[in-house]
Amino acid sequence: MVTSLRILLLALGMGLPLWVGAALSTNGMPPEPRQRVLLDDGWRFRRGEPPHPAVMLDYDVRPALGRSEDGKDADSRPRRDPHATAHGDAGLKRWILPAANPFIADHAKHHLRPSGDPGGELPELRADFDDSDWQPVRVPHDWASAGPFLAEGPYGGMGRLSSWGVGWYRRKLDIPFEAAGRSIFLDIDGAMSYATVWLNGHLVGGWPYGYNGWRVDLSAYAQPGGDNQLAIRLDNPPESARWYPGAGLYRNVWLNFADPVHVGHWGTRLTTPQVSRETAALSLAVDIDNESAEATEVEVATAIYPLDIDGRSKATAVAHIAAQPLRIEAGSSARISGSTTLRQPMLWGPPPTQQPNRYLGVTTVSRGGRIIDRYCTPFGVRSVRFDPEQGLLVNDERVQIRGVNLHHDLGALGTAFDVQAAGRQLRRLQRMGANAVRMSHNPPAPELLELADRMGLLVLDEVFDSWQMRKTALDFHLVFDDWHEADLRAMLRRDRNHPSVVLWSIGNEVGEQYSGEDGAAIAHELVGIAHDEDPTRPVTAALNYAKPEMPLPAELDVIGLNYQGEGIRQEAEFEGTDRIRTPPQYDAFHARFPNKAILGTETASAFSSRGIYLFPVSAASSAPVRDGAGGDPLAHQVSAYELHAVDFGASADKVFAALDRHSFVAGEFVWTGFDYLGEPTPYYSSRSSYSGIIDLAGFPKDRYWLYQSRWRAQLPMAHLLPHWTWPGREGRVTPVHVFTSGDEAELFVNGVSQGRKRKQPGQYRLRWDEVRYQPGELYVRAWRDGKPWAEDRVQTTSPAVRLQLQLDPDAGEGPLAFVQVSVVDAEGRLVPTAANAIRFRLDGPASLLATDNGDPTDLSAFPSSSRTAFSGRALAIVRRAGAADASVVVHAEADGLAPAALILPAVVDPGATP
Ligand code: GAL
């Protein structure tokens, strides 16, 4: 048993999900009592419905679509749709709804499964169906991200990729004869969307909301030792989201085997009710399901092991919750609670001032001296408190939230989850100084929270973008009434043991902000559910409209403001508009709710295109984008002087000023950390957003250094913009701005001082707006407290002569390699205007997954092996397929330039830790 436990703990340390267990352990040890098998290969996929199904296979009858509202302002008022929900009996809804039962507290509201197996006659559900002409795919899989992009039509909001429609997945399941009598579950970490699962022709269940993880019980339909044919139908509505939702089995899928008496789904709740440096009280509740036909008596015990910084378990337990007996009636569940004390606990907290130490609870369920289940709960010991005056306190230290919002796509990889790609995003953000992520506007992949735990990032976990009122014609409002409780409880149960999660959000800018008491009543219910599942964390919602005297904010534990803190549309040009106009609100909310903490759940929504500088440059420190003033109406790019924002937003500088004037505010979540697919305001012919601090390909925009200058104030740095290669601009005004963690700087053009400037209160950049361009060199020297601090220089480049390749270090070790290309001149300097067509080629066992360049307007499909450089850069994402040491060479070529080649290092550790 020790050996198999060690295998398990090692698996954890390698970043592998819990319980990646072989059915039988080596060394003659007994098998692990629970096996969890990743179903990543062996899938076949087909888009579209089979010919002539006898029944309607849709979940429900959907309202007919009217005219597309693509491109409408993000802060348009959501509305109630009288035709939203069809209440007929057509469709498979009545067979799917019972999957919600474990998450509906009131048993009287549980759903009864009707008899019959709709769809059961489809040949596609049978094991002998010939699916050889279906596409072989690997899961996680996004059926739409490969494109092509839809250049014509109103599809900008959803990323110009055809994610909507029906898709089918088939796979054989290996269910050995020995599994007879065991509980067999299929766990789906996320399927986009409206999933229906059949096993051996039987409709097992499903789940509409694409962002939640869920489980269906296969036990009754499985044929141990026989052929077991799984078929999953997904059905993505068009107009289902304001961004690219992705499509398919885009997160991991697992097959689980357990004793009929086992720890329930997400069945542990580990809290630390009292924490100090000397001691911590641990409290653990465990839910145990008895799916057998007889009542049973078990013993439940838990041992606590420290995890090292890489997530590897130490061998010796440091605390125990002693074995306790528990009786569970047949076909029911029972809860057992225990507690213990940790001496000198290693606390979890965000770097750089704290360390993300973690522990692992290993719970064993035994009967008659035999272990019948073992369940792992990784956790952290920390205290978290939101204080109305001090903001967020982690282990009694005030931690200013320096956060970003993230959507779930991974750029050119689409939404197919990849832990290395996600780790790359988080590391890039942490290097900038970010310490927090808001999972906008839906539960993330579970592995993303695991990464956040390990890296010490704080997480705001959010469940919905809409309630009963719609933002897009077929978004979550269609199923809110039936599913809100199940979806919210599912997220809470799945995520509540993660130390990174410090705050729940029940909704983003929901229409119910406008609806007075009705909206407040929904908020009241949702907050109650969150408190019920997790009494330890506060609940917020992101409010872009509700005002202090309205009923909804009063329901929240923490006030989350989108853009209202800085004020919305306060510029003179918005006078008389019928859009939302709001004076700055931090003080008003603070006065009305002196006992509630406040934070900026969304700030900025500033726009820019990496490396594109447009003239003239606004004299204001924050301005909306307009054609010719921040925006280029022909190229559809936004200026990287980093002064422009969405109409209701603000530049980074303006947000910093608002926060500095309101020290009680807990901090901000910038909209957004990375560019994302879809919602390309202000140019809806594009594929991806302009709001990222980092572009879609992962290259930082200039703003990255503006945030770094503030968020890593102790890091000596200075960053100059724009680039300095402007043939034709000689003698013309070309403003130069500097982002620095220093407080003073002197700018030189070709050695001639342009003056020394000092940041004034409320100023976050230094600007020399009268500089006239002449080729040569820009040089800045920064000081802090009168001492030399940092410098930067930018030179006019000569013509491009060659390509240069570099491995992105933030992607860590693993099968994926993110290869960055730069177009450089004879001196090796990046040519900032280069737009050469680059062709990629691989030698060795690897495939080119995608290429990108971060240009929101680039509509060439992601898998394309050629990519135009954007502002001198491009990216290739390669998956190594061979043995760890097989050599792979990436080649990049472009007409008229010397090519480049890069040998990829061996894959050291495919599950590398961040
Ligand atoms: C906010 C909204 C985000 C996004 C953003 C774009 O109002 O909450 O989801 O749409 O605007 O600027």
Side-chain angles (χ1 to χ4, degrees), residues 74-75 242-243 407 441 465 508-509 544 562-563 602 605 607 646 648 671 676 679:
D75 69 343
R242 302 183 295 112
W243 56 85
H407 266 316
H441 304 295
D465 189 50
N508 174 60
E509 299 187 352
N544 69 326
N562 282 10
Y563 311 104
E602 260 177 60
S605 234
F607 296 147
V646 72
F648 52 81
W671 190 268
Y676 52 95
E679 210 185 20

Side-chain angles (χ1 to χ4, degrees), residues 302-315:
T302 297
I304 308 293
Y305 298 86
L307 294 174
D308 69 17
I309 210 76
D310 295 325
R312 288 174 214 274
S313 164
K314 308 266 170 64

Side-chain angles (χ1 to χ4, degrees), residues 23-24 35 173-184 219 222-228 255 257-258:
L24 290 169
Q35 289 93 40
L173 295 184
D174 182 13
I175 301 181
F177 185 71
E178 300 77 53
R182 290 173 67 73
S183 291
I184 306 170
S219 316
Q223 296 163 3
D227 261 350
N228 284 280
L255 181 63
F257 300 95

Side-chain angles (χ1 to χ4, degrees), residues 284-556:
L284 176 67
V286 183
D287 290 330
I288 302 198
D289 295 344
N290 175 5
E291 297 191 333
S292 75
E294 282 156 27
T296 189
E297 293 261 352
V298 293
E299 285 206 321
V300 184
T302 297
I304 308 293
Y305 298 86
L307 294 174
D308 69 17
I309 210 76
D310 295 325
R312 288 174 214 274
S313 164
K314 308 266 170 64
T316 321
V318 289
H320 292 271
I321 300 175
Q324 296 176 75
L326 180 70
R327 181 182 164 83
I328 320 161
E329 299 305 325
S332 71
S333 303
R335 176 169 299 175
I336 189 159
S337 299
S339 57
T340 186
T341 305
L342 274 182
R343 312 228 166 271
Q344 260 86 50
M346 300 179 315
L347 303 186
W348 185 97
T353 52
Q354 303 190 37
Q355 288 290 315
N357 296 303
R358 289 190 302 154
Y359 291 88
L360 180 71
V362 179
T363 300
T364 46
V365 182
S366 322
R367 187 171 48 204
R370 192 171 70 86
I371 294 176
I372 56 171
D373 195 15
R374 195 192 327 265
Y375 188 92
C376 284
T377 309
F379 68 100
V381 177
R382 86 283 187 276
S383 72
V384 169
R385 196 157 58 85
F386 278 89
D387 180 273
E389 299 299 332
Q390 299 183 72
L392 174 65
L393 296 142
V394 182
N395 301 319
D396 297 325
E397 181 198 356
R398 181 179 203 273
V399 177
Q400 177 78 7
I401 296 176
R402 305 184 300 259
V404 301
N405 282 271
L406 278 188
H407 266 316
H408 69 309
D409 75 63
L410 296 166
L413 297 177
T415 58
F417 185 78
D418 180 274
V419 75
Q420 231 189 309
R424 169 180 181 251
Q425 289 198 333
L426 297 188
R427 271 187 288 273
R428 193 77 110 235
L429 292 168
Q430 211 170 35
R431 206 184 286 286
M432 178 174 72
N435 65 3
V437 177
R438 173 177 177 229
M439 303 297 179
S440 49
H441 304 295
N442 36 255
E447 295 85 355
L448 191 50
L449 291 180
E450 163 85 11
L451 279 169
D453 289 349
R454 287 186 185 202
M455 295 173 72
L457 286 164
L458 307 164
V459 169
L460 196 178
D461 208 359
E462 181 160 81
V463 66
F464 302 128
D465 189 50
S466 54
W467 295 348
Q468 286 174 335
M469 293 197 190
R470 52 163 278 195
K471 290 184 180 174
T472 60
L474 302 180
D475 66 20
F476 187 76
H477 78 282
L478 294 181
V479 296
F480 181 86
D481 286 346
D482 281 335
W483 284 91
H484 66 277
E485 182 180 357
D487 273 307
L488 179 54
R489 284 190 196 272
M491 177 187 85
L492 297 162
R493 283 184 206 170
R494 189 194 71 167
D495 295 348
R496 65 193 169 189
N497 294 323
H498 285 280
S500 55
V501 177
V502 294
L503 185 61
W504 305 114
S505 166
I506 52 173
N508 174 60
E509 299 187 352
V510 293
E512 285 76 358
Q513 289 173 97
Y514 302 77
S515 70
E517 298 297 341
D518 292 354
I522 297 178
H524 186 82
E525 184 198 347
L526 297 176
V527 171
I529 290 170
H531 289 169
D532 182 37
E533 294 289 342
D534 175 24
T536 72
R537 292 179 183 85
V539 181
T540 191
L543 308 174
N544 69 326
Y545 178 79
K547 300 293 173 300
E549 65 283 359
M550 294 181 182
L552 195 148
E555 299 295 335
L556 306 172

Side-chain angles (χ1 to χ4, degrees), residues 56-94:
M56 184 180 101
L57 298 172
D58 294 349
Y59 173 82
D60 202 353
V61 179
R62 292 194 186 124
L65 278 178
R67 205 165 53 85
S68 167
E69 293 166 293
D70 196 55
K72 76 175 178 188
D73 288 354
D75 69 343
S76 302
R77 181 174 176 147
R79 50 192 169 86
R80 190 175 294 280
D81 186 343
H83 310 295
T85 341
H87 293 288
D89 274 350
L92 305 188
K93 172 177 167 178
R94 290 175 301 138

Side-chain angles (χ1 to χ4, degrees), residues 485-732:
E485 182 180 357
D487 273 307
L488 179 54
R489 284 190 196 272
M491 177 187 85
L492 297 162
R493 283 184 206 170
R494 189 194 71 167
D495 295 348
R496 65 193 169 189
N497 294 323
H498 285 280
S500 55
V501 177
V502 294
L503 185 61
W504 305 114
S505 166
I506 52 173
N508 174 60
E509 299 187 352
V510 293
E512 285 76 358
Q513 289 173 97
Y514 302 77
S515 70
E517 298 297 341
D518 292 354
I522 297 178
H524 186 82
E525 184 198 347
L526 297 176
V527 171
I529 290 170
H531 289 169
D532 182 37
E533 294 289 342
D534 175 24
T536 72
R537 292 179 183 85
V539 181
T540 191
L543 308 174
N544 69 326
Y545 178 79
K547 300 293 173 300
E549 65 283 359
M550 294 181 182
L552 195 148
E555 299 295 335
L556 306 172
D557 303 321
V558 167
I559 302 294
L561 298 184
N562 282 10
Y563 311 104
Q564 298 204 75
E566 299 75 40
I568 293 175
R569 292 191 181 87
Q570 290 303 285
E571 293 86 353
E573 67 174 284
F574 292 111
E575 243 148 72
T577 181
D578 56 357
R579 309 312 323 277
I580 300 171
R581 285 196 87 196
T582 309
Q585 290 295 308
Y586 284 134
D587 289 323
F589 273 92
H590 194 46
R592 171 74 180 76
F593 298 109
N595 299 322
K596 294 185 197 244
I598 301 179
L599 77 153
T601 31
E602 260 177 60
T603 56
S605 234
F607 296 147
S608 55
S609 306
R610 175 180 52 80
I612 304 290
Y613 305 92
L614 304 178
F615 304 96
V617 173
S618 170
S621 68
S622 180
V625 187
R626 292 288 175 267
D627 286 347
D632 179 336
L634 297 176
H636 291 178
Q637 304 291 4
V638 182
S639 179
Y641 272 94
E642 310 291 17
L643 293 166
H644 294 272
V646 72
D647 284 9
F648 52 81
S651 67
D653 314 56
K654 185 174 169 187
V655 175
F656 294 160
L659 291 171
D660 284 347
R661 285 195 304 271
H662 300 97
S663 60
F664 57 86
V665 176
E668 64 165 320
F669 288 93
V670 179
W671 190 268
T672 47
F674 278 72
D675 276 338
Y676 52 95
L677 290 166
E679 210 185 20
T681 322
Y683 298 116
Y684 265 67
S685 57
S686 296
R687 61 171 196 191
S688 50
S689 84
Y690 296 77
S691 60
I693 300 171
I694 301 169
D695 74 19
L696 198 78
F699 298 116
K701 302 179 189 172
D702 289 289
R703 253 183 290 159
Y704 186 91
W705 288 277
L706 179 52
Y707 285 101
Q708 190 177 62
S709 70
R710 177 175 169 93
W711 287 357
R712 291 182 70 183
Q714 298 315 318
L715 180 77
M717 55 75 65
H719 176 83
L720 275 168
L721 69 147
H723 66 71
W724 211 238
T725 304
W726 296 104
R729 281 198 73 78
E730 288 79 2
R732 293 171 67 190

